[in-house]
Amino acid sequence: MNIIAVSINHKTAPVELREALHLDSKEIKELLDDSRKDILSEGFVLSTCNRTEIYGFPKSPEVNYIHLEKVLLEKKNVNGIKDEHFHKYFSCSALNHIFKVAAGIDSQLIGDNQIFGQVKEAFQLAEERGAAGFMLKRVFDAAIKVGKRAKSETEISEGAITVSYAAVQLIEKIFSNLNKKSALVIGMGETGLIAAKHLKDKNIGKLTVTNRTYEKAEKAAEELHAQILPFTQFKESLHEFDIIISATSAAEFIITKDEIKKMMKKRNYAATVLMDIAVPRDIDPSAGDIDNVFYNDIDSLNIIVEQNLKKRKEELPKVQNIILEEMINFFSWYNSLEIAPTIKSLRDYFEEIRADEVQKMINKFEPGDREKIDMVTKKIINKLLHHPTVELRKSAEMGTNSPESAAKIAIVRDLFGIDKTNTDKNEE
Amino acid sequence: MPLLYLAAFGIYLYDFIKSRRRLHNSKRLILFLTLILHCFYLLIRTFAFDHPPITNVFEIFTVLAFGIGFSYFVLELATDIRGTGPFIIIISFIFQLISSIFIKDLIEVKDVLRSNLLGVHVLHALIGYAGITISGVYGFLYLMLYKEIKSNKFGLIFERLPNLEILEKLSFYSAVIGFLSLSIAIIIGVIWLPQAFPDFSYLDPKLVASSLIWIMYGVGIFAKLTKKWVGKKVVMFSIFGFIIAIISTILTNFLASSFHSFY
């Protein structure tokens, strides 16, 4: 199979280059159109914050990785890009790579769920532009199958692997129904904002934000549909919240143990989660000694992240086995697409039907006519199969297993149930 | 029967440790078969000895083992919370083991023990004690998870058990069911026992112990409902109640002499 691919990703290039090469959907469409003019017969482009990859079936044997790199760099004129920033793949390795990407094991965060959706979108975009033909659709189906199997048959995507998500995972181990809980996020920097978004995604009942700079809190509140508490007043309202996440850049504790004690008294000692994801810490850690107060800082959340990462890594062999199985399946199918065996199978199939029918009727003919009947039916079959045979041979001349010939062969095998007939026979 | 409970406990424990998806349904099936066979065992005993197996403490232990196992099975089906199975089934196993070792084939039972009211009284007392036991186990699991989260140790308990709020709810609702059943058992007992037993006394140790347990749970449930007690405090109370209930049952059944003992 002559599929080729180039990839620039977190393993090959620094973030500045990856960012510079990132393509939006409009640029991807343009790139697909450009590449299909004289480089690729089928192709698709995957571009995320961590990778930009081009896959395709070359229009001629002369087309190689250099052409793919060139078409990308023509679209994105980036300084400092070198050939070594690209990984190159051909045939088996290209298929293996897209399977790994779809399964999430090539991601920076192993088992990343997002990439599966991004692979799907990349294929859909290629289909919209008419760049995904018969072969690419099969590659797509196989990649999607790998992604789904990895998710359902292994635990490669289980558990939180970022600190802010680990905080949410921990909160869910304390409270059952987040939509009946209220949360306060102190500090609307990047970390605080991500944590607030996670809570929103988990349908938190009431979300309130506060920030030293009021405008920043206002902007975040608008984005998250949250309420705002002025930074100077939030301490008076601490008891109203089941969850308090703090992520400010304050140099000292902004919430003391005594304040938590008072808060708990007002709350009648109902369970309260304190997530201190600031460095240096915002909340006095000795507050965790109070009954029904669950205090966690970045170190304890990192324990969860490390444990989950370790577990995901342990799942890698299982995912690799799935990839291997699906590669075997794909190439078994692909190898059945060779011209000569297909023509032979087609002829055998027709001959078998002819011989069977002649045998059934043979006694109705005079002994002298039987040979003639045999000859006439053979001629009919030969004439019927003449044109399809010529067409199949012609497509073989376009190159070994070119997408066009593969498509024709697959249709023939499918229409006449050739593979099915062989399987049935084997089973018998 | 103990071997079947041991097998069910084993598969639940194995799944708790290893979390094998393929075991999720098979472990439930094994528990179901165990309960079906246990049900047959109880019916066969009833017909063979011409009385329901509630006339002495070791007969009651086997019914209690069944009651706890069955309650858990229903709870698992209703809530799909599967991680707590081994901690409940081990209780069924222990009760059944005690019963199987000491149970005797009694054919002759006192006439007073053939009363229908006794059946209702014992049935409610059994549900009451099963509720208290399950409440105690969930309370214990709550404490284990509470400690694990507080000490930043995120091991098997953290991964497999449901969250603290659910464990607290399960413990509380089991205690409420147990308390209501015990209330009915005590009411029937107070009305019927003086007529059935000539040597009846309100100062009987078993009666006093049961009443104390009942009052204790009543106070605890009231405190929780009025939100005076929450979280760890309620759970500690439930565990404490369970321990008191077990100790008082042992003391009153085996050490004190009472009109209430039949074995």
Side-chain angles (χ1 to χ4, degrees):
Chain A
M1 187 172 67
N2 57 350
I3 185 170
I4 56 172
V6 290
S7 167
I8 182 161
N9 57 50
H10 60 278
K11 292 175 186 167
T12 66
V15 65
E16 308 83 59
L17 294 181
R18 299 196 312 262
E19 273 173 357
L21 278 180
H22 178 260
L23 301 161
D24 60 29
S25 55
K26 185 173 165 270
E27 288 169 321
I28 290 175
K29 284 175 189 170
E30 286 167 7
L31 192 142
L32 283 173
D33 293 344
D34 292 347
S35 61
R36 287 183 65 226
K37 276 178 198 154
D38 44 18
I39 303 176
L40 300 175
S41 56
E42 296 180 38
F44 79 95
V45 179
L46 172 67
S47 190
T48 72
C49 51
N50 266 330
R51 65 180 70 242
T52 295
E53 305 185 333
I54 306 176
Y55 295 79
F57 289 90
K59 272 198 164 170
S60 67
E62 289 75 37
V63 174
N64 59 29
Y65 320 103
I66 308 291
H67 296 86
L68 294 185
E69 285 175 25
K70 205 176 148 197
V71 79
L72 177 63
L73 295 175
E74 273 169 9
K75 177 82 22 214
K76 288 278 185 181
N77 190 16
V78 179
N79 288 329
I81 289 271
K82 293 175 190 160
D83 185 49
E84 57 257 37
H85 288 131
F86 288 93
H87 267 173
K88 293 122 187 163
Y89 305 97
F90 173 66
S91 186
C92 201
S93 69
L95 197 69
N96 183 269
H97 182 68
I98 187 62
F99 283 4
K100 277 183 178 173
V101 172
I105 63 169
D106 197 62
S107 300
Q108 201 162 18
L109 298 171
I110 296 169
D112 175 27
N113 267 330
Q114 241 184 338
I115 190 72
F116 181 65
Q118 288 163 332
V119 169
K120 265 179 158 178
E121 281 167 23
F123 275 113
Q124 277 160 5
L125 216 55
E127 269 193 315
E128 273 174 34
R129 296 313 284 179
F134 172 76
M135 283 301 289
L136 210 54
K137 278 178 189 159
R138 292 300 290 242
V139 172
F140 168 65
D141 289 343
I144 293 302
K145 195 175 171 193
V146 168
K148 282 184 179 167
R149 282 190 64 193
K151 205 164 180 250
S152 63
E153 293 174 27
T154 75
E155 292 179 4
I156 194 72
S157 302
E158 298 286 312
I161 51 167
T162 60
V163 167
S164 51
Y165 204 70
V168 176
Q169 192 192 351
L170 192 53
I171 291 167
E172 284 185 315
K173 215 65 201 177
I174 295 161
F175 298 128
S176 60
N177 221 340
L178 287 190
N179 60 19
K180 286 183 182 161
K181 304 292 170 198
S182 54
L184 170 69
V185 183
I186 308 165
M188 282 292 102
E190 196 188 342
T191 319
L193 198 61
I194 292 172
K197 275 180 188 165
H198 282 319
L199 285 174
K200 199 77 198 168
D201 290 344
K202 292 282 174 186
N203 291 325
I204 187 81
K206 185 184 155 197
L207 181 64
T208 306
V209 296
T210 184
N211 194 71
R212 214 177 283 273
T213 319
Y214 190 80
E215 291 71 30
K216 214 171 173 182
E218 216 169 25
K219 196 180 160 205
E222 198 181 337
E223 189 185 334
L224 297 162
H225 303 288
Q227 294 179 355
I228 314 168
L229 208 55
F231 194 78
T232 47
Q233 291 169 25
F234 81 84
K235 285 189 184 181
E236 291 146 34
S237 309
L238 284 179
H239 63 282
E240 292 170 17
F241 301 101
D242 305 295
I243 301 154
I244 298 166
I245 298 180
S246 196
T248 75
S249 51
E252 287 175 359
F253 295 147
I254 58 166
I255 302 175
T256 63
K257 187 179 179 180
D258 276 345
E259 284 165 336
I260 299 295
K261 264 187 188 169
K262 281 179 199 159
M263 173 197 89
M264 287 305 281
K265 209 172 170 186
K266 280 188 188 170
R267 282 176 63 73
N268 203 14
Y269 292 91
T272 308
V273 180
L274 304 176
M275 288 290 167
D276 190 350
I277 49 176
V279 180
R281 292 181 291 189
D282 283 344
I283 306 170
D284 184 349
S286 63
D289 299 338
I290 304 167
D291 267 357
N292 294 327
V293 170
F294 299 93
Y295 171 87
N296 286 90
D297 58 21
I298 209 143
D299 282 349
S300 60
L301 294 173
N302 266 327
I303 296 173
I304 298 178
V305 169
E306 291 300 321
Q307 283 181 352
N308 288 337
L309 269 175
K310 192 172 163 255
K311 272 186 231 149
R312 286 190 180 196
K313 278 180 189 161
E314 284 166 3
E315 292 294 297
L316 278 176
K318 286 185 199 166
V319 179
Q320 275 154 351
N321 279 343
I322 289 173
I323 289 175
L324 190 65
E325 278 171 30
E326 291 306 327
M327 285 190 68
I328 291 169
N329 285 343
F330 186 89
F331 279 101
S332 302
W333 167 80
Y334 182 75
N335 289 337
S336 73
L337 300 183
E338 285 175 19
I339 294 286
T342 303
I343 293 173
K344 187 181 177 302
S345 299
L346 188 66
R347 288 194 160 271
D348 288 349
Y349 173 72
F350 274 76
E351 172 57 23
E352 199 182 331
I353 294 170
R354 186 204 66 82
D356 269 1
E357 293 305 312
V358 168
Q359 194 57 43
K360 277 182 205 164
M361 308 295 281
I362 201 81
N363 291 332
K364 293 186 179 171
F365 296 96
E366 294 296 321
D369 293 335
R370 287 177 188 173
E371 204 177 320
K372 285 178 195 163
I373 282 296
D374 207 43
M375 213 167 63
V376 168
T377 51
K378 273 183 181 169
K379 272 187 177 176
I380 294 171
I381 294 297
N382 278 338
K383 284 202 168 175
L384 281 172
L385 288 180
H386 176 72
H387 188 68
T389 308
V390 170
E391 280 302 309
L392 284 173
R393 284 199 176 122
K394 255 192 216 168
S395 46
E397 285 159 15
M398 292 160 80
T400 313
N401 288 338
S402 67
E404 290 83 357
S405 72
K408 280 183 184 170
I409 290 165
I411 289 166
V412 166
R413 296 188 87 95
D414 212 28
L415 280 180
F416 292 104
I418 290 173
D419 297 317
K420 198 171 174 284
T421 317
N422 290 340
T423 317
D424 292 348
K425 270 187 200 166
N426 290 340
E427 278 171 6
E428 280 166 24
Chain B
M1 282 315 301
L3 286 178
L4 281 171
Y5 276 108
L6 187 63
F9 166 69
I11 191 166
Y12 267 86
L13 184 68
Y14 183 78
D15 187 46
F16 182 80
I17 295 166
K18 299 280 179 188
S19 183
R20 296 276 181 265
R21 286 175 200 212
R22 61 192 163 86
L23 286 182
H24 280 184
N25 289 326
S26 51
K27 67 176 185 179
R28 192 179 271 181
L29 186 69
I30 286 179
L31 179 61
F32 179 67
L33 290 175
T34 303
L35 291 169
I36 292 280
L37 289 172
H38 198 163
C39 195
F40 276 120
Y41 167 75
L42 295 174
L43 287 173
I44 289 165
R45 274 199 79 90
T46 305
F47 291 119
F49 303 122
D50 195 27
H51 67 267
I54 51 170
T55 59
N56 65 63
V57 71
F58 298 116
E59 283 184 345
I60 282 173
F61 261 121
T62 186
V63 182
L64 203 53
F66 175 79
I68 291 168
F70 181 73
S71 307
Y72 171 73
F73 185 71
V74 173
L75 203 71
E76 189 187 293
L77 282 182
T79 61
D80 208 33
I81 296 167
R82 299 166 187 237
T84 58
F87 304 95
I88 307 273
I89 296 167
I90 184 94
I91 305 278
S92 284
F93 165 67
I94 292 167
F95 283 3
Q96 185 54 45
L97 187 69
I98 294 169
S99 170
S100 295
I101 292 171
F102 297 108
I103 202 162
K104 284 179 187 165
D105 296 345
L106 275 183
I107 295 174
E108 291 300 318
V109 291
K110 293 177 185 175
D111 282 342
V112 71
L113 297 179
R114 292 190 181 277
S115 157
N116 285 337
L117 268 176
L118 172 87
V120 181
H121 167 72
V122 173
L123 181 73
H124 282 92
L126 279 174
I127 296 171
Y129 277 97
I132 285 173
T133 307
I134 292 174
S135 170
V137 173
Y138 279 123
F140 176 69
L141 294 179
Y142 177 100
L143 271 195
M144 287 208 295
L145 181 58
Y146 180 93
K147 213 178 154 199
E148 196 145 298
I149 295 174
K150 278 275 206 179
S151 57
N152 293 332
K153 283 178 190 156
F154 307 108
L156 269 183
I157 296 288
F158 178 78
E159 274 177 35
R160 304 280 194 267
L161 288 186
N163 59 56
L164 285 176
E165 212 167 58
I166 285 181
L167 287 173
E168 189 187 340
K169 271 184 194 165
L170 289 173
S171 175
F172 179 67
Y173 292 143
S174 308
V176 170
I177 292 168
F179 174 75
L180 293 176
S181 271
L182 271 185
S183 308
I184 296 169
I186 288 172
I187 291 166
I188 294 171
V190 167
I191 296 167
W192 171 71
L193 286 176
Q195 301 160 17
F197 297 95
D199 56 344
F200 169 81
S201 161
Y202 281 109
L203 292 174
D204 177 77
K206 205 170 189 177
L207 222 63
V208 172
S210 303
S211 304
L212 284 176
I213 291 165
W214 182 80
I215 291 168
M216 216 178 87
Y217 272 92
V219 169
I221 289 166
F222 179 77
K224 163 79 180 167
L225 287 176
T226 53
K227 294 192 174 172
K228 284 197 173 106
W229 290 358
V230 286
K232 194 181 160 194
K233 209 169 186 176
V234 183
V235 162
M236 290 289 283
F237 194 77
S238 168
I239 296 169
F240 185 63
F242 171 63
I243 293 167
I244 296 285
I246 291 287
I247 292 171
S248 75
T249 307
I250 292 168
L251 288 177
T252 53
N253 269 302
F254 299 107
L255 300 177
S257 108
S258 159
F259 74 91
H260 217 154
S261 303
F262 309 105
Y263 204 52

